[in-house]
Amino acid sequence: MGLFGGFIKNHGTKEAIDAAFDGNEIIYGFGHTIDFLYRVSPRVVYNAGKLRLALEGEYTMAAIGQNHNLKWQPETLTEVGNCRILTSIGYYF
């Protein structure tokens, strides 16, 4: 048995960055629209001799913003969740 959990938060920049942009620039990046994200993932493993069966559930939720404030923190948040179930069968010889 096991449990994984994690949380991450976007705190933006230390100082406002509006003076560096005139509004026509395109900002490239991965995940800059995510305000916070968390994941909970419990698992169960059963060993029977050389056979191993495992089952894991995973729930991930992210709050995604549509625009940013002056310190580049996402605003107008929409929460999006995802649920997955993973299985594993292993035979060790």
Side-chain angles (χ1 to χ4, degrees):
M1 294 183 96
L3 178 67
F4 171 80
F7 179 82
I8 190 166
K9 171 79 171 121
N10 181 355
H11 292 286
T13 60
K14 187 175 182 180
E15 298 176 12
I17 58 171
D18 63 334
F21 299 101
D22 63 7
N24 296 323
E25 290 86 356
I26 298 174
I27 304 298
Y28 295 100
F30 180 74
H32 62 85
T33 59
I34 298 174
D35 185 51
F36 65 89
L37 179 138
Y38 68 83
R39 175 177 290 170
V40 178
S41 182
R43 71 175 178 272
V44 176
V45 179
Y46 175 73
N47 293 314
K50 295 182 178 185
L51 184 66
R52 175 181 284 177
L53 306 172
L55 178 67
E56 180 176 347
E58 179 182 296
Y59 179 72
T60 305
M61 200 285 297
I64 301 170
Q66 297 298 319
N67 51 24
H68 299 88
N69 62 17
L70 296 178
K71 291 191 176 182
W72 208 251
Q73 294 169 310
E75 295 179 334
T76 316
L77 301 177
T78 302
E79 294 183 359
V80 179
N82 180 37
C83 188
R84 297 192 312 175
I85 296 177
L86 306 124
T87 60
S88 173
I89 300 172
Y91 183 75
Y92 299 91
F93 55 93

Coordinates of all heavy atoms in Angstrom, one line a residue:
M1 N 0.8 -1.2 0.0 CA 0.0 0.0 0.0 C 0.9 1.2 0.0 O 2.0 1.3 0.6 CB -0.9 0.0 1.2 CG -1.9 -1.1 1.3 SD -3.0 -0.9 2.7 CE -4.3 -0.1 1.9
G2 N 0.4 2.3 -0.6 CA 1.1 3.5 -0.6 C 0.2 4.7 -1.0 O -0.9 4.5 -1.5
L3 N 0.7 5.9 -0.7 CA -0.1 7.1 -1.0 C 0.9 8.1 -1.5 O 1.9 8.4 -0.8 CB -0.9 7.5 0.2 CG -1.7 8.8 0.0 CD1 -2.8 8.6 -1.0 CD2 -2.2 9.3 1.4
F4 N 0.6 8.7 -2.6 CA 1.3 9.9 -3.1 C 0.4 11.1 -3.1 O -0.7 11.0 -3.5 CB 1.9 9.6 -4.5 CG 2.5 10.8 -5.2 CD1 3.8 11.2 -4.8 CD2 1.8 11.6 -6.0 CE1 4.4 12.3 -5.4 CE2 2.4 12.7 -6.6 CZ 3.6 13.1 -6.3
G5 N 0.9 12.2 -2.7 CA 0.2 13.5 -2.8 C 1.1 14.6 -3.1 O 2.3 14.6 -2.6
G6 N 0.7 15.6 -3.8 CA 1.5 16.7 -4.1 C 0.7 18.0 -4.4 O -0.5 17.9 -4.8
F7 N 1.3 19.1 -4.2 CA 0.6 20.4 -4.4 C 1.7 21.4 -4.9 O 2.8 21.4 -4.5 CB 0.0 20.9 -3.1 CG -0.7 22.3 -3.3 CD1 -2.0 22.3 -3.7 CD2 0.0 23.4 -2.9 CE1 -2.6 23.6 -3.9 CE2 -0.6 24.7 -3.1 CZ -1.9 24.7 -3.5
I8 N 1.3 22.2 -5.9 CA 2.2 23.2 -6.5 C 1.4 24.5 -6.7 O 0.2 24.4 -7.1 CB 2.9 22.7 -7.8 CG1 4.0 23.7 -8.2 CG2 1.9 22.5 -8.9 CD1 4.9 23.1 -9.2
K9 N 2.0 25.6 -6.5 CA 1.3 26.9 -6.5 C 2.1 27.9 -7.4 O 3.4 28.0 -7.2 CB 1.1 27.5 -5.1 CG 0.6 28.9 -5.1 CD -0.9 29.0 -5.3 CE -1.4 30.4 -5.1 NZ -2.0 31.0 -6.2
N10 N 1.5 28.6 -8.2 CA 2.2 29.7 -9.0 C 2.1 31.0 -8.3 O 1.0 31.5 -8.1 CB 1.5 29.8 -10.4 CG 2.1 30.8 -11.3 OD1 3.0 31.5 -10.9 ND2 1.6 30.9 -12.5
H11 N 3.2 31.5 -7.8 CA 3.2 32.7 -7.0 C 3.5 33.9 -7.9 O 3.6 35.0 -7.4 CB 4.3 32.6 -5.9 CG 3.9 31.7 -4.8 ND1 2.9 31.9 -3.9 CD2 4.4 30.4 -4.5 CE1 2.8 30.9 -3.1 NE2 3.7 30.0 -3.5
G12 N 3.7 33.7 -9.2 CA 4.0 34.9 -10.1 C 5.4 35.4 -9.9 O 6.3 34.8 -9.4
T13 N 5.5 36.7 -10.4 CA 6.9 37.3 -10.3 C 7.0 38.2 -9.0 O 6.0 38.5 -8.4 CB 7.1 38.2 -11.5 OG1 6.1 39.2 -11.6 CG2 7.1 37.4 -12.8
K14 N 8.2 38.5 -8.7 CA 8.4 39.3 -7.5 C 7.9 40.8 -7.7 O 7.4 41.4 -6.8 CB 9.9 39.3 -7.1 CG 10.2 40.0 -5.8 CD 11.7 39.8 -5.4 CE 12.0 40.4 -4.1 NZ 13.4 40.2 -3.7
E15 N 8.2 41.3 -8.9 CA 7.8 42.6 -9.2 C 6.9 42.6 -10.5 O 6.9 41.7 -11.2 CB 9.0 43.5 -9.6 CG 10.0 43.6 -8.4 CD 11.3 44.3 -8.7 OE1 11.3 45.0 -9.8 OE2 12.2 44.3 -8.0
A16 N 6.1 43.7 -10.6 CA 5.2 43.8 -11.8 C 6.0 43.9 -13.0 O 7.1 44.5 -13.1 CB 4.3 45.0 -11.6
I17 N 5.6 43.2 -14.1 CA 6.3 43.2 -15.4 C 5.5 43.9 -16.5 O 5.9 43.7 -17.6 CB 6.7 41.8 -15.8 CG1 5.4 40.9 -15.9 CG2 7.6 41.2 -14.8 CD1 5.7 39.6 -16.5
D18 N 4.5 44.7 -16.2 CA 3.7 45.3 -17.2 C 4.5 46.4 -18.0 O 4.2 46.6 -19.2 CB 2.5 46.0 -16.6 CG 2.8 47.1 -15.6 OD1 3.9 47.0 -15.0 OD2 2.0 48.0 -15.5
A19 N 5.6 47.0 -17.4 CA 6.3 48.0 -18.1 C 7.1 47.4 -19.3 O 7.5 48.1 -20.2 CB 7.2 48.7 -17.2
A20 N 7.5 46.1 -19.2 CA 8.3 45.5 -20.2 C 7.5 45.1 -21.5 O 8.1 44.8 -22.5 CB 9.0 44.3 -19.6
F21 N 6.2 45.1 -21.4 CA 5.3 44.6 -22.5 C 4.4 45.7 -22.9 O 3.9 46.5 -22.1 CB 4.5 43.4 -22.0 CG 5.4 42.3 -21.7 CD1 5.6 42.0 -20.3 CD2 6.0 41.5 -22.6 CE1 6.4 40.9 -20.0 CE2 6.8 40.4 -22.3 CZ 7.0 40.1 -20.9
D22 N 4.1 45.8 -24.2 CA 3.1 46.8 -24.7 C 1.8 46.2 -25.0 O 0.9 46.8 -25.5 CB 3.7 47.6 -25.8 CG 4.0 46.7 -27.1 OD1 3.7 45.5 -27.1 OD2 4.5 47.3 -28.0
G23 N 1.7 44.9 -24.8 CA 0.4 44.2 -25.0 C 0.4 43.4 -26.3 O -0.5 42.6 -26.6
N24 N 1.4 43.6 -27.2 CA 1.4 42.9 -28.5 C 2.3 41.7 -28.5 O 2.4 41.0 -29.5 CB 1.8 43.9 -29.6 CG 0.8 45.0 -29.7 OD1 -0.4 44.8 -29.6 ND2 1.3 46.2 -30.0
E25 N 3.1 41.5 -27.4 CA 4.0 40.4 -27.4 C 3.2 39.0 -27.1 O 2.2 39.0 -26.5 CB 5.0 40.5 -26.3 CG 6.0 41.6 -26.6 CD 5.5 43.0 -26.1 OE1 4.4 43.1 -25.6 OE2 6.3 43.9 -26.2
I26 N 3.8 38.0 -27.6 CA 3.3 36.6 -27.3 C 4.2 36.0 -26.3 O 5.4 36.0 -26.5 CB 3.2 35.8 -28.6 CG1 2.2 36.4 -29.6 CG2 2.8 34.4 -28.3 CD1 2.2 35.7 -30.9
I27 N 3.6 35.5 -25.2 CA 4.4 34.9 -24.2 C 4.4 33.4 -24.4 O 3.3 32.8 -24.5 CB 3.8 35.2 -22.8 CG1 3.7 36.7 -22.6 CG2 4.7 34.6 -21.7 CD1 5.1 37.4 -22.6
Y28 N 5.6 32.8 -24.5 CA 5.7 31.3 -24.6 C 6.1 30.7 -23.3 O 6.9 31.3 -22.6 CB 6.7 31.0 -25.7 CG 6.3 31.4 -27.1 CD1 6.8 32.6 -27.6 CD2 5.4 30.7 -27.8 CE1 6.5 33.0 -28.9 CE2 5.0 31.1 -29.1 CZ 5.6 32.2 -29.6 OH 5.2 32.7 -30.9
G29 N 5.5 29.6 -23.0 CA 5.9 28.9 -21.8 C 5.0 27.7 -21.6 O 3.9 27.6 -22.2
F30 N 5.3 26.9 -20.6 CA 4.5 25.7 -20.3 C 4.0 25.9 -18.9 O 4.7 26.0 -18.0 CB 5.4 24.4 -20.4 CG 4.7 23.2 -20.1 CD1 3.8 22.7 -21.0 CD2 4.8 22.5 -18.9 CE1 3.1 21.5 -20.8 CE2 4.1 21.4 -18.6 CZ 3.2 20.9 -19.6
G31 N 2.7 25.8 -18.8 CA 2.0 25.9 -17.5 C 1.9 27.2 -16.9 O 1.5 27.4 -15.7
H32 N 2.2 28.3 -17.6 CA 2.1 29.7 -17.0 C 0.7 30.1 -16.8 O 0.4 31.1 -16.1 CB 2.8 30.7 -17.9 CG 2.3 30.9 -19.2 ND1 1.3 31.7 -19.5 CD2 2.6 30.3 -20.4 CE1 1.0 31.7 -20.8 NE2 1.8 30.9 -21.4
T33 N -0.3 29.4 -17.3 CA -1.7 29.7 -17.0 C -2.3 28.9 -15.9 O -3.4 29.1 -15.5 CB -2.6 29.4 -18.3 OG1 -2.5 28.0 -18.6 CG2 -2.2 30.3 -19.5
I34 N -1.5 28.0 -15.3 CA -1.9 27.2 -14.1 C -1.7 28.0 -12.8 O -0.5 28.3 -12.6 CB -1.2 25.9 -14.1 CG1 -1.6 25.1 -15.4 CG2 -1.6 25.1 -12.9 CD1 -0.9 23.8 -15.5
D35 N -2.7 28.2 -12.0 CA -2.5 28.9 -10.7 C -2.1 27.9 -9.7 O -1.1 28.1 -8.9 CB -3.8 29.5 -10.3 CG -3.6 30.3 -9.0 OD1 -2.7 31.1 -9.0 OD2 -4.4 30.1 -8.1
F36 N -2.7 26.8 -9.5 CA -2.3 25.7 -8.6 C -2.7 24.4 -9.2 O -3.6 24.3 -10.0 CB -2.8 25.9 -7.2 CG -4.3 25.9 -7.0 CD1 -4.9 24.6 -6.8 CD2 -5.1 27.0 -7.1 CE1 -6.3 24.6 -6.6 CE2 -6.4 26.9 -7.0 CZ -7.1 25.7 -6.7
L37 N -2.1 23.3 -8.7 CA -2.4 22.0 -9.1 C -2.1 21.0 -7.9 O -1.2 21.2 -7.1 CB -1.4 21.6 -10.2 CG -1.5 20.2 -10.8 CD1 -1.4 20.3 -12.3 CD2 -0.4 19.3 -10.3
Y38 N -3.0 20.0 -7.8 CA -2.7 19.0 -6.8 C -3.0 17.6 -7.3 O -3.8 17.5 -8.2 CB -3.4 19.3 -5.4 CG -4.9 19.1 -5.4 CD1 -5.5 17.9 -5.3 CD2 -5.7 20.3 -5.6 CE1 -6.9 17.8 -5.3 CE2 -7.1 20.2 -5.6 CZ -7.7 18.9 -5.4 OH -9.1 18.8 -5.4
R39 N -2.4 16.6 -6.7 CA -2.6 15.2 -7.1 C -2.6 14.3 -5.9 O -1.8 14.5 -5.0 CB -1.5 14.8 -8.1 CG -1.6 13.3 -8.5 CD -0.5 12.9 -9.5 NE -0.8 13.5 -10.7 CZ 0.0 13.6 -11.8 NH1 1.2 13.0 -11.7 NH2 -0.4 14.2 -12.9
V40 N -3.5 13.4 -5.9 CA -3.6 12.4 -4.9 C -3.6 11.0 -5.6 O -4.4 10.8 -6.5 CB -4.9 12.5 -4.0 CG1 -4.9 11.4 -3.0 CG2 -4.9 13.9 -3.3
S41 N -2.8 10.1 -5.2 CA -2.7 8.8 -5.9 C -2.4 7.7 -4.9 O -1.3 7.4 -4.5 CB -1.5 8.9 -6.9 OG -1.4 7.8 -7.6
P42 N -3.5 7.0 -4.5 CA -3.2 5.8 -3.6 C -3.0 4.5 -4.5 O -3.4 4.5 -5.6 CB -4.6 5.7 -2.9 CG -5.6 6.2 -3.8 CD -4.9 7.3 -4.6
R43 N -2.3 3.6 -3.9 CA -2.0 2.3 -4.7 C -2.0 1.1 -3.7 O -1.8 1.3 -2.5 CB -0.7 2.4 -5.4 CG 0.5 2.3 -4.5 CD 1.8 2.3 -5.3 NE 2.9 2.3 -4.4 CZ 3.5 3.3 -3.9 NH1 3.1 4.5 -4.3 NH2 4.6 3.2 -3.1
V44 N -2.3 0.0 -4.3 CA -2.4 -1.3 -3.5 C -1.6 -2.3 -4.4 O -1.8 -2.4 -5.6 CB -3.8 -1.8 -3.3 CG1 -3.8 -3.1 -2.6 CG2 -4.6 -0.8 -2.5
V45 N -0.7 -3.0 -3.7 CA 0.1 -4.0 -4.4 C -0.1 -5.4 -3.7 O 0.0 -5.4 -2.5 CB 1.6 -3.7 -4.5 CG1 2.4 -4.8 -5.1 CG2 1.8 -2.4 -5.2
Y46 N -0.4 -6.4 -4.5 CA -0.5 -7.7 -3.9 C 0.5 -8.7 -4.5 O 0.6 -8.8 -5.7 CB -2.0 -8.3 -4.2 CG -2.2 -9.7 -3.7 CD1 -2.3 -10.0 -2.4 CD2 -2.3 -10.7 -4.7 CE1 -2.5 -11.3 -2.0 CE2 -2.5 -12.0 -4.3 CZ -2.6 -12.3 -2.9 OH -2.8 -13.6 -2.5
N47 N 1.3 -9.3 -3.7 CA 2.3 -10.3 -4.1 C 1.9 -11.7 -3.8 O 1.5 -12.0 -2.6 CB 3.7 -10.0 -3.5 CG 4.3 -8.7 -3.9 OD1 4.3 -8.4 -5.1 ND2 4.7 -7.9 -3.0
A48 N 1.9 -12.6 -4.8 CA 1.6 -14.0 -4.6 C 2.7 -14.8 -5.2 O 2.6 -15.1 -6.4 CB 0.2 -14.3 -5.1
G49 N 3.7 -15.1 -4.5 CA 4.8 -15.9 -5.0 C 5.5 -15.0 -6.0 O 6.0 -13.9 -5.7
K50 N 5.6 -15.4 -7.3 CA 6.3 -14.7 -8.3 C 5.4 -13.7 -9.1 O 5.8 -13.0 -10.0 CB 7.0 -15.7 -9.3 CG 8.1 -16.5 -8.7 CD 8.7 -17.4 -9.7 CE 9.8 -18.2 -9.1 NZ 10.5 -19.0 -10.2
L51 N 4.1 -13.7 -8.7 CA 3.2 -12.9 -9.4 C 2.9 -11.6 -8.5 O 2.7 -11.7 -7.3 CB 1.8 -13.6 -9.5 CG 0.7 -12.9 -10.3 CD1 1.1 -12.7 -11.8 CD2 -0.5 -13.8 -10.2
R52 N 2.8 -10.5 -9.2 CA 2.5 -9.2 -8.5 C 1.4 -8.5 -9.3 O 1.4 -8.3 -10.5 CB 3.8 -8.3 -8.5 CG 3.4 -6.9 -7.9 CD 4.6 -6.0 -7.9 NE 5.5 -6.4 -6.9 CZ 6.7 -5.8 -6.6 NH1 7.1 -4.9 -7.4 NH2 7.4 -6.3 -5.6
L53 N 0.4 -8.2 -8.5 CA -0.8 -7.4 -9.0 C -0.8 -6.1 -8.3 O -0.7 -6.0 -7.1 CB -2.1 -8.2 -8.7 CG -2.2 -9.6 -9.2 CD1 -3.4 -10.3 -8.7 CD2 -2.2 -9.7 -10.7
A54 N -1.0 -5.0 -9.1 CA -1.0 -3.7 -8.6 C -2.2 -2.9 -9.2 O -2.6 -3.1 -10.3 CB 0.3 -3.0 -8.9
L55 N -2.8 -2.1 -8.3 CA -3.9 -1.2 -8.7 C -3.6 0.2 -8.1 O -3.3 0.3 -7.0 CB -5.2 -1.7 -8.2 CG -6.5 -0.9 -8.5 CD1 -6.8 -0.9 -10.0 CD2 -7.6 -1.4 -7.7
E56 N -3.7 1.2 -9.0 CA -3.5 2.6 -8.5 C -4.5 3.5 -9.1 O -4.9 3.4 -10.3 CB -2.1 3.0 -9.0 CG -1.7 4.4 -8.6 CD -0.3 4.8 -9.1 OE1 0.5 3.9 -9.5 OE2 0.0 6.0 -9.0
G57 N -5.0 4.4 -8.2 CA -6.0 5.4 -8.7 C -5.3 6.8 -8.6 O -4.4 7.0 -7.8
E58 N -5.7 7.7 -9.5 CA -5.0 9.0 -9.5 C -6.0 10.0 -9.8 O -6.8 9.9 -10.7 CB -4.0 9.0 -10.6 CG -3.2 10.3 -10.8 CD -2.3 10.2 -11.9 OE1 -1.3 9.4 -11.9 OE2 -2.5 11.0 -12.9
Y59 N -6.0 11.1 -8.9 CA -6.9 12.2 -9.2 C -6.0 13.5 -9.2 O -5.2 13.7 -8.3 CB -7.9 12.4 -8.1 CG -8.8 13.6 -8.3 CD1 -9.8 13.6 -9.3 CD2 -8.7 14.7 -7.5 CE1 -10.6 14.7 -9.5 CE2 -9.5 15.9 -7.8 CZ -10.4 15.8 -8.8 OH -11.2 16.9 -9.0
T60 N -6.1 14.2 -10.3 CA -5.4 15.4 -10.5 C -6.3 16.6 -10.8 O -7.3 16.4 -11.5 CB -4.4 15.3 -11.7 OG1 -3.6 14.2 -11.5 CG2 -3.5 16.6 -11.8
M61 N -6.1 17.7 -10.1 CA -7.0 18.9 -10.3 C -6.1 20.1 -10.5 O -5.1 20.3 -9.8 CB -7.9 19.1 -9.1 CG -9.1 20.0 -9.4 SD -8.8 21.8 -9.6 CE -8.2 22.2 -8.0
A62 N -6.4 20.9 -11.6 CA -5.6 22.1 -11.9 C -6.6 23.3 -12.0 O -7.7 23.1 -12.5 CB -4.9 21.9 -13.2
A63 N -6.2 24.4 -11.5 CA -6.9 25.6 -11.6 C -6.2 26.5 -12.7 O -5.1 26.9 -12.6 CB -7.0 26.4 -10.3
I64 N -6.9 26.6 -13.9 CA -6.3 27.3 -15.0 C -6.9 28.7 -15.2 O -8.1 28.8 -15.1 CB -6.6 26.4 -16.3 CG1 -6.0 25.0 -16.1 CG2 -6.0 27.1 -17.5 CD1 -6.4 24.1 -17.2
G65 N -6.1 29.7 -15.4 CA -6.5 31.0 -15.5 C -6.7 31.5 -17.0 O -6.0 31.0 -17.9
Q66 N -7.5 32.4 -17.2 CA -7.7 33.0 -18.6 C -6.9 34.2 -18.8 O -6.6 34.5 -20.0 CB -9.2 33.3 -18.8 CG -10.1 32.1 -18.7 CD -9.8 31.0 -19.7 OE1 -9.5 31.4 -20.9 NE2 -9.7 29.8 -19.4
N67 N -6.6 35.0 -17.8 CA -5.7 36.1 -18.0 C -4.8 36.3 -16.7 O -4.9 35.5 -15.8 CB -6.6 37.4 -18.2 CG -7.6 37.5 -17.1 OD1 -7.5 37.0 -16.0 ND2 -8.7 38.2 -17.4
H68 N -3.9 37.3 -16.7 CA -3.0 37.4 -15.7 C -3.1 38.8 -15.1 O -3.5 39.8 -15.7 CB -1.5 37.3 -16.2 CG -1.3 35.9 -16.8 ND1 -1.6 35.6 -18.1 CD2 -0.8 34.8 -16.2 CE1 -1.3 34.3 -18.3 NE2 -0.8 33.8 -17.2
N69 N -2.6 39.0 -13.8 CA -2.5 40.3 -13.2 C -1.1 40.8 -13.5 O -0.3 40.2 -14.3 CB -2.8 40.2 -11.7 CG -1.8 39.3 -10.9 OD1 -0.7 39.0 -11.4 ND2 -2.2 39.0 -9.7
L70 N -0.7 41.9 -12.9 CA 0.6 42.6 -13.2 C 1.8 41.8 -12.8 O 2.9 41.9 -13.3 CB 0.7 44.0 -12.6 CG -0.4 45.0 -13.2 CD1 -0.2 46.3 -12.4 CD2 -0.2 45.1 -14.7
K71 N 1.6 40.9 -11.8 CA 2.7 40.0 -11.3 C 2.7 38.6 -12.0 O 3.3 37.7 -11.5 CB 2.7 39.9 -9.8 CG 3.1 41.2 -9.2 CD 3.3 41.0 -7.7 CE 3.8 42.3 -7.1 NZ 4.1 42.1 -5.7
W72 N 1.9 38.5 -13.1 CA 1.8 37.3 -13.9 C 1.2 36.1 -13.2 O 1.6 35.0 -13.4 CB 3.2 37.0 -14.5 CG 3.0 36.3 -15.8 CD1 3.3 35.0 -16.1 CD2 2.5 36.8 -17.1 NE1 3.1 34.7 -17.4 CE2 2.6 35.8 -18.0 CE3 2.1 38.1 -17.5 CZ2 2.1 35.9 -19.3 CZ3 1.6 38.2 -18.8 CH2 1.7 37.2 -19.7
Q73 N 0.3 36.4 -12.3 CA -0.4 35.3 -11.6 C -1.8 35.2 -12.3 O -2.4 36.1 -12.6 CB -0.7 35.7 -10.1 CG 0.5 35.7 -9.3 CD 0.3 36.3 -7.9 OE1 -0.3 37.4 -7.8 NE2 0.7 35.7 -6.9
P74 N -2.1 33.9 -12.7 CA -3.4 33.7 -13.4 C -4.6 34.1 -12.6 O -4.7 34.0 -11.4 CB -3.4 32.2 -13.6 CG -2.0 31.7 -13.4 CD -1.4 32.7 -12.5
E75 N -5.6 34.7 -13.3 CA -6.9 35.1 -12.7 C -8.0 34.5 -13.5 O -7.8 33.9 -14.6 CB -7.0 36.6 -12.7 CG -5.9 37.3 -11.8 CD -6.0 38.8 -11.9 OE1 -6.5 39.4 -12.9 OE2 -5.6 39.4 -10.9
T76 N -9.2 34.7 -13.1 CA -10.4 34.1 -13.7 C -10.2 32.6 -13.9 O -10.1 32.1 -15.0 CB -10.7 34.8 -15.1 OG1 -10.6 36.2 -15.0 CG2 -12.1 34.5 -15.5
L77 N -10.1 31.9 -12.7 CA -9.8 30.5 -12.7 C -10.9 29.6 -13.0 O -12.1 29.8 -12.6 CB -9.2 30.2 -11.3 CG -8.0 31.0 -10.9 CD1 -7.6 30.6 -9.4 CD2 -6.8 30.8 -11.8
T78 N -10.6 28.5 -13.7 CA -11.5 27.4 -14.0 C -10.8 26.1 -13.5 O -9.7 25.9 -13.8 CB -11.8 27.3 -15.5 OG1 -12.3 28.5 -16.0 CG2 -12.7 26.1 -15.7
E79 N -11.5 25.4 -12.6 CA -10.9 24.1 -12.1 C -11.2 23.0 -13.0 O -12.4 22.8 -13.4 CB -11.4 23.9 -10.7 CG -10.9 24.9 -9.7 CD -11.4 24.6 -8.3 OE1 -12.0 23.6 -8.0 OE2 -11.0 25.4 -7.4
V80 N -10.2 22.2 -13.4 CA -10.3 21.1 -14.2 C -9.8 19.9 -13.5 O -8.6 19.9 -13.1 CB -9.6 21.3 -15.6 CG1 -9.7 20.1 -16.5 CG2 -10.1 22.6 -16.3
G81 N -10.5 18.7 -13.5 CA -10.0 17.5 -12.8 C -9.9 16.4 -13.7 O -10.6 16.3 -14.8
N82 N -9.1 15.4 -13.4 CA -8.9 14.2 -14.1 C -8.7 13.0 -13.2 O -8.0 13.1 -12.2 CB -7.6 14.3 -15.0 CG -7.3 13.1 -15.8 OD1 -8.2 12.5 -16.3 ND2 -6.1 12.8 -16.0
C83 N -9.4 11.9 -13.5 CA -9.3 10.7 -12.7 C -8.9 9.6 -13.5 O -9.4 9.4 -14.6 CB -10.7 10.4 -12.1 SG -10.7 9.1 -10.8
R84 N -7.9 8.8 -13.1 CA -7.4 7.6 -13.8 C -7.3 6.4 -12.9 O -7.0 6.6 -11.7 CB -6.0 7.9 -14.4 CG -6.0 9.0 -15.4 CD -4.8 9.1 -16.2 NE -3.5 9.0 -15.5 CZ -2.3 9.0 -16.0 NH1 -2.2 9.0 -17.3 NH2 -1.3 9.0 -15.2
I85 N -7.4 5.3 -13.5 CA -7.1 4.0 -12.8 C -6.1 3.3 -13.6 O -6.2 3.1 -14.8 CB -8.4 3.2 -12.6 CG1 -9.4 3.9 -11.7 CG2 -8.1 1.8 -12.0 CD1 -10.7 3.2 -11.5
L86 N -5.0 2.8 -12.9 CA -3.9 2.1 -13.6 C -3.8 0.7 -13.0 O -3.9 0.6 -11.7 CB -2.6 2.9 -13.4 CG -2.6 4.3 -13.8 CD1 -2.2 5.2 -12.7 CD2 -1.8 4.5 -15.0
T87 N -3.5 -0.3 -13.8 CA -3.3 -1.6 -13.3 C -2.0 -2.1 -13.8 O -1.5 -1.7 -14.8 CB -4.5 -2.6 -13.7 OG1 -4.5 -2.6 -15.2 CG2 -5.8 -2.1 -13.2
S88 N -1.5 -3.1 -13.1 CA -0.2 -3.7 -13.4 C -0.2 -5.2 -13.0 O -0.6 -5.5 -11.9 CB 1.0 -2.9 -12.8 OG 2.2 -3.6 -13.0
I89 N 0.3 -6.0 -13.9 CA 0.5 -7.4 -13.6 C 2.0 -7.8 -13.9 O 2.4 -7.5 -15.0 CB -0.4 -8.3 -14.4 CG1 -1.9 -8.0 -14.0 CG2 -0.2 -9.8 -14.1 CD1 -2.9 -8.7 -14.9
G90 N 2.7 -8.3 -13.0 CA 4.1 -8.7 -13.2 C 4.4 -10.1 -12.8 O 3.9 -10.6 -11.8
Y91 N 5.2 -10.8 -13.6 CA 5.6 -12.1 -13.2 C 7.1 -12.1 -13.2 O 7.8 -11.8 -14.2 CB 5.1 -13.2 -14.2 CG 5.5 -14.6 -13.8 CD1 4.8 -15.3 -12.8 CD2 6.5 -15.3 -14.4 CE1 5.1 -16.5 -12.4 CE2 6.8 -16.5 -14.1 CZ 6.2 -17.2 -13.1 OH 6.5 -18.5 -12.7
Y92 N 7.7 -12.4 -12.0 CA 9.1 -12.3 -11.8 C 9.7 -13.7 -11.7 O 9.3 -14.5 -10.9 CB 9.4 -11.5 -10.5 CG 8.9 -10.1 -10.6 CD1 7.6 -9.8 -10.2 CD2 9.6 -9.1 -11.2 CE1 7.1 -8.5 -10.3 CE2 9.1 -7.8 -11.3 CZ 7.9 -7.5 -10.9 OH 7.4 -6.2 -11.0
F93 N 10.7 -13.9 -12.6 CA 11.3 -15.3 -12.6 C 12.8 -15.2 -12.6 O 13.4 -14.1 -12.7 CB 10.8 -16.1 -13.8 CG 11.1 -15.4 -15.1 CD1 12.2 -15.7 -15.8 CD2 10.1 -14.6 -15.6 CE1 12.4 -15.1 -17.1 CE2 10.3 -14.0 -16.8 CZ 11.4 -14.2 -17.6

